[in-house]
């Protein structure tokens, strides 16, 4: 196997080196089956109970399949790294390779992350992208994703992009020294596996993803720091992500005050809505009594 034409320290990949996360319930390793339920007027309550049990069973089966899929994928990825079919780079080493040797960097993140920040000169081809569909199969997945933490993390429902491999093949020859990266390192491993199976033999995985990079490691463009591209939702608004807490430790109290003010504002809005609901309830009760 050819190596990058750049002097880099040797990195040995072990199980503890891998930065594994878990796909959300809507990550496209499995899909939630839609349920059809048409109760008759005489069996409504019984049918509703059956529907609840069925939904719970579907969710349990879905989560179990997801765990099994991730366990199987983890073993495959470990084997590819252990056998050095995929080489490992740190973000700093990837930055050297891109800036000094002009090596291609393939960004496989979904659009919601890439649009916030990206490495200058990189090629963006997502392996999973935001699912904007509203069909009967997508809506249950979006609801499940939101209920299982999407509201907090801001992570949208993602679907596998079937055009990923054709787009990469159109852009890069199979003997290209290709550096593959994502936000945390998980999807880029999945992308490396796809590319290796398609015949790419000079693959380099960025360990830990862009989230592990320091500001000086890569030349970045976009509206936010590269570390912040993967955060969102209520946690980002309140400044309760690990990335924001690390930034607050460097920036000091001025940075923290912004998010403290947001938290106070959120409590005030919640109080106002609660008081308003009480007043509306009393008003409706007075109308009924008269």
């Amino acid at each position: 196997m050819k190596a990058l034409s750049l002097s880099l320290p040797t990195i040995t990949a072990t199980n503890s080196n891998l930065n594994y996360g878990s796909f959300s319930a809507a990550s496209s390793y499995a899909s939630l089956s839609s349920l059809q339920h048409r109760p008759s007027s005489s069996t409504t309550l019984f049918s509703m109970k059956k529907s609840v049990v069925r939904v719970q069973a579907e969710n349990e089966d879905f989560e179990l399949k997801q765990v099994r899929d991730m366990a199987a994928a983890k073993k495959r990825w470990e084997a590819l790294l252990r056998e050095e079919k995929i080489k490992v780079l740190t973000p700093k080493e990837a930055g050297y390779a891109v800036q000094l040797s002009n090596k291609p960097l393939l960004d496989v993140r979904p659009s919601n992350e890439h649009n916030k920040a990206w490495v200058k000169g990189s090629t963006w081809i997502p392996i999973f992208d935001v699912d904007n569909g509203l069909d009967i199969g997508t809506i249950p997945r979006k609801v499940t994703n939101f209920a299982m933490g999407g509201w907090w993390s801001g992570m949208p429902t993602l679907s596998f992009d079937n055009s990923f491999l054709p787009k990469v093949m159109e852009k890069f020859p199979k003997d290209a020294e290709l550096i593959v990266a994502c936000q945390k390192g998980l999807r880029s491993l999945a992308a490396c596996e796809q590319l290796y199976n398609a015949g790419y033999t000079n693959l380099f995985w960025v360990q830990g993803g862009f989230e592990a990079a320091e500001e000086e490691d890569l030349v970045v463009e976009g509206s936010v720091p590269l570390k912040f591209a993967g955060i969102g939702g209520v946690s980002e608004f309140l400044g309760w992500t690990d990335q924001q807490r690390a930034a607050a430790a460097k920036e000091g109290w001025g940075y923290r005050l912004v998010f403290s003010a947001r938290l106070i504002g959120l409590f005030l809005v919640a109080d106002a809505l609660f008081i308003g609901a009480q007043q509306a309830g009393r008003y409706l009760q007075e109308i009924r009594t008269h």
Side-chain angles (χ1 to χ4, degrees), residues 167-245:
K167 287 179 179 177
V168 175
M169 290 179 178
E170 182 180 350
K171 183 75 176 178
F172 301 105
K174 291 186 178 181
D175 61 350
E177 294 177 330
L178 194 57
I179 302 171
V180 186
C182 64
Q183 192 66 24
K184 294 186 177 182
L186 184 65
R187 297 186 186 100
S188 52
L189 264 180
C192 283
E193 181 186 27
Q194 291 272 326
L195 293 169
Y196 179 81
N197 292 338
Y200 284 84
T201 56
N202 291 310
L203 297 170
F204 297 83
W205 170 62
V206 179
Q207 183 182 22
F210 293 141
E211 200 163 288
E214 300 300 329
E215 292 183 10
E216 65 274 10
D217 291 345
L218 299 157
V219 179
V220 180
E221 297 179 323
S223 59
V224 301
L226 196 56
K227 284 178 177 286
F228 288 8
I231 63 177
V234 177
S235 61
E236 179 187 20
F237 178 77
L238 295 178
W240 285 357
T241 65
D242 293 338
Q243 298 88 333
Q244 290 168 306
R245 282 195 289 267

Side-chain angles (χ1 to χ4, degrees), residues 34-38 47-61:
S34 58
L35 300 177
Q36 294 184 348
H37 175 57
R38 299 176 181 176
S47 299
M48 287 177 65
K49 289 181 179 179
K50 285 182 62 179
S51 178
V52 170
V53 172
R54 191 188 313 163
V55 169
Q56 290 175 342
E58 288 284 346
N59 286 339
E60 290 174 0
D61 290 344

Side-chain angles (χ1 to χ4, degrees), residues 65-84:
K65 183 179 185 302
Q66 196 176 38
V67 169
R68 289 174 176 171
D69 286 344
M70 279 304 304
K74 181 178 178 180
K75 289 181 179 179
R76 296 196 305 270
W77 298 338
E78 286 174 348
L80 289 171
L81 292 169
R82 184 172 57 251
E83 296 166 8
E84 295 190 345

Side-chain angles (χ1 to χ4, degrees), residues 104-132 156 158-159 161 163-172 178-183 187-188 191 195 210 221 226 229:
L105 175 63
L106 177 61
D107 183 346
V108 300
R109 296 175 299 162
S111 56
N112 65 301
E113 295 176 357
H114 174 265
N115 292 341
K116 294 179 182 179
W118 59 92
V119 176
K120 184 178 181 180
S122 61
T123 299
W124 176 57
I125 305 177
I127 185 171
F128 294 93
D129 207 357
V130 178
D131 191 340
N132 294 315
L158 303 177
S159 293
D161 189 344
S163 63
F164 171 71
L165 276 177
K167 287 179 179 177
V168 175
M169 290 179 178
E170 182 180 350
K171 183 75 176 178
F172 301 105
L178 194 57
I179 302 171
V180 186
C182 64
Q183 192 66 24
R187 297 186 186 100
S188 52
L195 293 169
F210 293 141
E221 297 179 323
L226 196 56

